[in-house]
Amino acid sequence: MLQVNRRRKGKTVLVAGGAGFVGSHLCDALLGRGDTVICVDSYITGSRDNVRPLMNHPGFRLIEQDVCDFLEIDEPLDQIYNLACAASPPQYQADPVHTMMTCVAGTGNLLALAERHGASFLQASTSEVYGDPAEHPQREDYRGNVSCTGPRACYDEGKRAAEALCFDMLRGGRVDARVARIFNTYGPRMQANDGRIVSNLVVQALSGKPLTIYGSGMQTRSFCYVSDLVGGLMALMDVQPNPGVPVNLGNPGEFTINELAQMIRSMVPARTALVYRPLPKDDPQRRRPDISRATELLDWQPTVPLAEGLAQTIGWFAANLAERPRKRTAASRRPRSAAAAQAVPAGS
């Protein structure tokens, strides 16, 4: 039988991928409610800047490590969130073998850690398990239309395998595992070059460049603001009893890529043209979550409208892009020894 440690009022929570876009916001929220947070990240796609404001927080600790390697934590753990995987096509296709191993071996290592500590476990899965869906909107009982040999298979099939591991461990009574299927998420701390549609269009608009749209632009996506998603992840981790089924987390509002581009153009002063390029292989035509299960089981639904979230995201990118040249100039003028002295040591 599962023996979940819930003795302490403030939980000790490990967030794998905690220096990433979503992971860093999750670390913020967990610390904000009084938990102790152990952030594990390899910085393959995460950024130390995302968690730099937390470095002096007494409840925060950072470990630089790849989850594909064995991991042990000496102190008791109550919860483990696994967000450790590149999540945009350019990033996960850059090293597809490592992406697959992160999903499978990495998830296996973290599940073993959860079993040793009696910790609850949440797997950040993805709407990509549905592939290019033949059903719309996507319900959790839809089994998907995924190519197991295509260029996105390292991620799509890797996440499907990770889900299988979680539910096998749950059925075996070994780990209190939960699975969230995350739909398109956006907000501050996205990487400018991560290849996601929101960051691509926002950065291009702010830079005065043409906005690149792949395909006709009539394909649809649903965009969930990061604070809404983090609330859903925490609700799924904490709900009792364990739902025992995957849960979609996303915003059911559906927009074409053309509509998204026009919204961004209207919010950025520079007027830029639209440029159309061929659609990448296996790119889904429609994506929209059915969140009935999340609403029923978690009493959760997103609250941030797309226009409001885009305004926050554009503001963050505008400030971040303006800061980059100053940082590069300062670094180039700094003596090498001084630059080294100011570097943040691993694990600090």
Side-chain angles (χ1 to χ4, degrees), residues 255-270:
F255 297 85
T256 69
I257 301 304
N258 285 330
E259 289 173 330
L260 174 67
Q262 294 297 347
M263 289 183 68
I264 292 172
R265 289 179 75 195
S266 71
M267 300 173 77
V268 176

Side-chain angles (χ1 to χ4, degrees), residues 266-326:
S266 71
M267 300 173 77
V268 176
R271 302 299 297 173
T272 54
L274 302 181
V275 176
Y276 290 82
R277 297 284 184 260
L279 192 69
K281 183 178 175 58
D282 294 336
D283 195 65
Q285 289 296 308
R286 303 189 74 185
R287 182 73 84 226
R288 177 190 172 198
D290 182 318
I291 62 168
S292 301
R293 183 175 288 177
T295 301
E296 178 182 352
L297 296 178
L298 312 179
D299 192 26
W300 175 88
Q301 58 184 352
T303 61
V304 180
L306 180 58
E308 180 181 330
L310 283 177
Q312 295 293 325
T313 305
I314 290 169
W316 182 86
F317 268 114
N320 187 262
L321 293 173
E323 186 67 19
R324 281 184 177 183
R326 288 195 289 271

Side-chain angles (χ1 to χ4, degrees), residues 104-186:
V104 180
T107 300
N109 283 339
L110 291 170
L111 282 166
L113 181 65
E115 184 177 19
R116 292 194 296 273
H117 285 263
S120 297
F121 183 91
L122 188 143
Q123 170 67 17
S125 189
T126 172
S127 61
E128 296 302 320
V129 299
Y130 300 121
D132 188 5
E135 292 188 10
H136 190 81
Q138 289 79 59
R139 293 168 47 88
E140 291 91 345
D141 56 7
Y142 175 54
R143 296 187 178 182
N145 178 32
V146 177
S147 167
C148 62
T149 58
R152 301 167 72 105
C154 60
Y155 185 70
D156 301 0
E157 293 290 11
K159 289 291 190 176
R160 287 160 69 100
E163 287 195 16
L165 276 173
C166 289
F167 285 110
D168 282 338
M169 294 288 272
L170 176 63
R171 280 188 291 265
R174 298 170 61 181
V175 176
D176 176 24
R178 295 117 190 276
V179 172
R181 290 179 177 168
I182 299 173
F183 283 68
N184 291 64
T185 304
Y186 71 101

Side-chain angles (χ1 to χ4, degrees), residues 226-244:
V226 64
S227 61
D228 282 333
L229 175 67
V230 166
L233 292 174
M234 294 171 67
L236 177 56
M237 174 66 92
D238 293 338
V239 70
Q240 295 296 337
N242 186 323

Side-chain angles (χ1 to χ4, degrees), residues 18-19 24 27 39 43 47-55 60 62:
S24 63
C27 289
C39 169
Y43 303 118
S47 170
R48 203 179 283 272
D49 287 341
N50 288 340
V51 292
R52 197 176 301 278
L54 305 179
M55 293 298 193
F60 181 79
L62 179 63

